[in-house]
């Protein structure tokens, strides 16, 4: 039984894990951009074009999904096991 152990929280940089996923929603009509991995520019362009086509639609909600992982810190007995729990 481990009563106390240190852990490290960091961005997940594993193979195939995107740095972030971006999408936007128009707060006037509810239309949404496509979700895009790793780069916000396509979502920014979508919002600008949407406003260009609908001049009164000027407010958007940006959603950004980030991926984290928790690993055992040095001195944590689980670090020696080096086996992520599934």
């Amino acid at each position: 039984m481990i009563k106390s152990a240190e852990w490290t929280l960091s961005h997940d940089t594993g193979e195939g894990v995107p740095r972030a996923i971006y999408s936007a929603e128009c707060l006037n009509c509810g239309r949404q951009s496509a979700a895009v991995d790793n780069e916000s520019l396509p979502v920014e362009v979508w919002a600008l074009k949407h406003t260009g086509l609908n001049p009164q639609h000027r407010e958007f909600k940006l959603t950004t999904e980030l991926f984290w992982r928790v690993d055992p810190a040095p001195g944590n007995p689980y670090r020696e096991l080096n086996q992520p729990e599934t």
Side-chain angles (χ1 to χ4, degrees), residues 22-71:
Y22 301 96
S23 64
E25 176 184 353
C26 175
L27 295 178
N28 294 95
C29 70
R31 293 213 41 198
Q32 294 184 329
S33 71
V36 180
D37 289 358
N38 301 323
E39 186 180 348
S40 64
L41 183 60
V43 176
E44 295 169 26
V45 170
W46 176 86
L48 291 167
K49 285 182 178 180
H50 184 76
T51 298
L53 294 171
N54 307 278
Q56 299 304 316
H57 297 204
R58 299 179 187 180
E59 296 177 315
F60 297 87
K61 177 177 74 173
L62 173 67
T63 301
T64 305
E65 298 178 45
L66 301 174
F67 299 86
W68 292 351
R69 68 177 285 119
V70 176
D71 291 304

